Amino acid sequence: MQQSDVERIRNDFEQAINEASSLSELELLRIKYLSRNGIITKLFDELKTISSEEKPAFGKLLNTLRSETTELFNTKKSVLETGKTSENHELDLTLPGKTVKLGSKHILSQTLFEIKSIFKGLGFSVYDGPELESDYYNFEALNFPPDHPARDMQDTFFVGEQFVLRTHTTPVQIRIMEKEQPPIRAIMPGRVYRNEAISSRSYCMFHQVDGIYVDTDVSFAELKGTLVSFAKQFYGDGLKYRFRPSFFPFTEPSAEMDITCYICMGKGCRVCKHSGWLEILGCGMVDPNVFKYVNYDSEKYTGYAFGMGIERIAMLKYGIDDIRIFFENDLRFLKQF
Ligand code: DAH
């Protein structure tokens, strides 16, 4: 008995198994090869006649033969019993298809998309600017004098002596006016950063959209008309609004715009601090001092500007009460939009 004999037996067995087309044929093969008196079982008897040096290797060969042939036999048996192979699953055409999960736009992206399309409809173009800003653009050119207390209105992340993570998108107004001559009508969305304690109402990073319109004879009435039109398209027609005097260094006069509190419909509740109103944005007429920084003739041109927090207006629209939830990426939240 040699190794080649073992291989021949294995090949014969495999060929016979492949050719077997019924369980009864298979049973005959089992008896011929694997039963107590089968060819393979009998081979083990020959171990007795083999020298003790060769015995371990030959024993191993026989064991492999037996386990491989048994496995071939079992596989074929189950194929004949069930009519299936691992590659040949029966097709069930009534099963539902596999859905491909596509994901969806984040609620902030959706909100920004809506804001952009409303302002585009009103004739505004969309601009971009850097998130790492110089002190000049973030403060100085916006009429925040050095050491002026107005700088404390916005808690700033300083980067070295001259740079800051921009605290608002308003500096992009300066960048646009430096490059272009009136008339300009632009909005500028983007990320902003504030070094504030994190809470349900404030986060260290959020998003704003600023807007500016400069031309000859731009009036406060136009500012109101544009913002009311925006608010009605964004929040719905039935809404009431008001403008309150306020202060920003880069606008004069300045105002804040409120809409009716959507929770109590103006009766007064915790969310609106019992005023019946919710602030949605800041705005005003561009301060002539700002025009000086960009070499616009303030005798010739006037302009209005406004700025709003995207999280804030989305929170008001959808009744979201914690700003942190926008950045947690919890699918239970994201899937609601
Ligand atoms: N930059 C202001 C802020 O972050 C918001 C703002 C107010 C922007 C009035 C403007 C504006 O362009 O005219 O609080």
Side-chain angles (χ1 to χ4, degrees), residues 100-271:
V100 182
K101 290 193 182 132
L102 277 180
S104 59
K105 279 213 160 74
H106 192 281
I107 179 58
L108 286 178
S109 305
Q110 290 181 43
T111 307
L112 178 57
F113 183 84
E114 210 183 330
I115 297 171
K116 280 198 226 170
S117 72
I118 295 173
F119 279 106
K120 280 185 195 167
L122 294 168
F124 286 76
S125 319
V126 183
Y127 286 73
D128 228 355
E131 290 175 26
L132 181 65
E133 264 299 8
S134 63
D135 181 277
Y136 177 80
Y137 286 104
N138 198 79
F139 292 121
E140 195 181 333
L142 288 169
N143 198 33
F144 288 83
D147 303 321
H148 192 278
R151 289 184 180 224
D152 294 340
M153 282 164 73
Q154 302 177 348
D155 301 301
T156 310
F157 285 113
F158 292 94
V159 181
E161 289 281 301
Q162 278 177 30
F163 292 97
V164 300
L165 291 179
R166 67 178 176 192
T167 56
H168 48 182
T169 42
T170 317
V172 189
Q173 294 181 8
I174 302 293
R175 291 181 174 275
I176 298 172
M177 288 191 281
E178 277 180 346
K179 280 205 202 90
E180 293 178 24
Q181 288 302 308
I184 54 165
R185 202 195 290 253
I187 57 165
M188 43 234 110
R191 261 185 208 170
V192 302
Y193 300 84
R194 302 258 174 112
N195 189 4
E196 282 177 357
I198 290 171
S199 72
S200 63
R201 314 193 87 219
S202 53
Y203 200 68
C204 50
M205 183 277 300
F206 55 100
H207 300 78
Q208 287 188 336
V209 187
D210 260 65
I212 189 166
Y213 174 37
V214 183
D215 203 346
T216 49
D217 305 319
V218 175
S219 67
F220 199 90
E222 277 173 277
L223 168 63
K224 282 167 74 179
T226 304
L227 293 178
V228 168
S229 166
F230 160 74
K232 287 194 166 172
Q233 290 183 63
F234 188 79
Y235 287 105
D237 235 352
L239 147 131
K240 283 200 195 133
Y241 51 85
R242 71 175 185 188
F243 289 83
R244 265 181 302 108
S246 183
F247 171 79
F248 301 102
F250 35 89
T251 44
E252 183 58 38
S254 304
E256 279 172 317
M257 181 180 184
D258 297 340
I259 57 168
T260 319
C261 175
Y262 66 95
I263 298 213
C264 61
M265 295 321 279
K267 289 197 196 80
C269 68
R270 239 186 46 217
V271 173

